[in-house]
């Protein structure tokens, strides 16, 4: 659910962020799953210094995502494809044993999405939030576990026992688990 048309700079930023999280193969799989045409430039054969045609150059991951989503947005007149693509990537069942990776990826992407009034929820769904107006506001809303530990001077050992509860913002149980662990 996108409130207003996303501009090219915003889409490029989101595409760059997603490209750092995914392989070419994963990008292709998610585009296909969402029914979005893969607009990557076909590989161009190049001859090396000896005249052999063995080097291949293609579209970067960022450009593949950007071109495909941009094409779909203009083709349909809707930005629903962006939400669909993000939700396919953040399907929680793919991260059963990789919760830290899920949270880290979600936090990284949410920093960009908040600037257009969106956020990936813990359920992996794209939802509306109040649009952030400044970078400071984004940082304030997306405090990382590391930042919280630094601000509160927590010993690193504490997080061995309560990292999951802290990431879930369940501070009562985080404190309980930390005390039990120590």
């Amino acid at each position: 659910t996108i409130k207003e048309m996303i501009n090219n700079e915003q889409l490029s930023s989101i595409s760059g962020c997603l490209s750092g999280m995914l392989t070419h193969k994963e990008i292709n799989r998610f585009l296909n799953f969402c029914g979005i045409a893969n607009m990557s430039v076909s590989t161009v054969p190049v001859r090396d210094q000896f005249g052999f045609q063995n080097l291949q150059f293609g579209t970067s991951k960022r450009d593949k995502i950007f071109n495909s989503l941009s094409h779909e947005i203009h083709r349909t007149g809707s930005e629903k494809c962006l939400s669909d693509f993000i939700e396919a990537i953040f399907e929680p069942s793919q991260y059963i044993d990789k919760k830290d990776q899920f949270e880290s990826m979600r936090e990284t992407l949410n920093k960009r999405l908040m600037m257009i009034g969106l956020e990936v929820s813990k359920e992996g769904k794209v939802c509306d939030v109040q649009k952030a107006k400044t970078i400071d506001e984004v940082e304030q809303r997306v405090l990382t576990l590391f930042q919280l530990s630094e601000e509160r001077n927590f010993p690193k050992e504490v997080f061995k026992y309560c990292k999951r509860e802290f990431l879930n913002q369940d501070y009562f149980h985080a404190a309980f688990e930390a005390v039990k662990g120590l």
Side-chain angles (χ1 to χ4, degrees):
T1 59
I2 297 179
K3 298 174 186 176
E4 58 187 59
M5 282 300 270
I6 187 170
N7 66 40
N8 282 341
E9 289 77 24
Q10 293 164 329
L11 184 58
S12 179
S13 176
I14 291 166
S15 298
C17 182
L18 292 172
S19 71
M21 300 173 185
L22 305 168
T23 64
H24 277 286
K25 187 175 181 179
E26 290 170 329
I27 293 167
N28 294 341
R29 182 170 50 96
F30 291 127
L31 288 172
N32 185 49
F33 177 80
C34 295
I36 300 170
N38 187 335
M39 300 304 291
S40 61
V41 175
S42 57
T43 57
V44 178
V46 177
R47 295 195 183 275
D48 67 9
Q49 65 188 15
F50 303 107
F52 293 105
Q53 187 172 321
N54 61 356
L55 302 175
Q56 301 281 322
F57 294 99
T59 304
S60 70
K61 294 185 294 183
R62 178 188 202 124
D63 290 344
K64 182 188 293 190
I65 295 169
F66 177 84
N67 293 341
S68 299
L69 292 174
S70 180
H71 176 265
E72 188 69 11
I73 289 168
H74 288 97
R75 186 184 73 77
T76 62
S78 167
E79 295 169 340
K80 185 178 180 322
C81 64
L82 177 60
S83 297
D84 293 345
F85 187 67
I86 291 170
E87 288 178 2
I89 294 166
F90 284 90
E91 169 55 45
S93 64
Q94 300 176 96
Y95 300 93
I96 296 296
D97 295 324
K98 301 182 254 179
K99 185 171 191 244
D100 292 343
Q101 178 186 0
F102 177 85
E103 289 299 332
S104 174
M105 288 170 51
R106 192 172 75 86
E107 177 183 303
T108 301
L109 184 60
N110 278 344
K111 287 180 180 180
R112 280 128 186 109
L113 292 176
M114 284 181 187
M115 297 301 285
I116 61 171
L118 297 174
E119 174 181 77
V120 177
S121 70
K122 291 181 181 193
E123 294 81 24
K125 300 295 181 195
V126 176
C127 50
D128 294 331
V129 295
Q130 183 167 345
K131 185 176 179 178
K133 294 177 178 68
T134 66
I135 295 169
D136 289 339
E137 184 180 347
V138 169
E139 290 297 324
Q140 175 85 26
R141 288 164 58 182
V142 186
L143 283 176
T144 64
L145 183 61
F146 178 76
Q147 289 170 323
L148 291 171
S149 68
E150 290 292 314
E151 288 173 8
R152 291 170 174 78
N153 295 320
F154 284 165
K156 301 295 180 217
E157 174 126 351
V158 169
F159 286 107
K160 286 180 12 184
Y161 307 108
C162 65
K163 188 174 185 178
R164 175 176 294 151
E165 291 78 11
F166 217 111
L167 285 170
N168 288 329
Q169 297 178 340
D170 183 359
Y171 303 118
F172 173 81
H173 286 105
F176 182 68
E177 291 300 321
V179 170
K180 274 188 351 187
L182 292 174

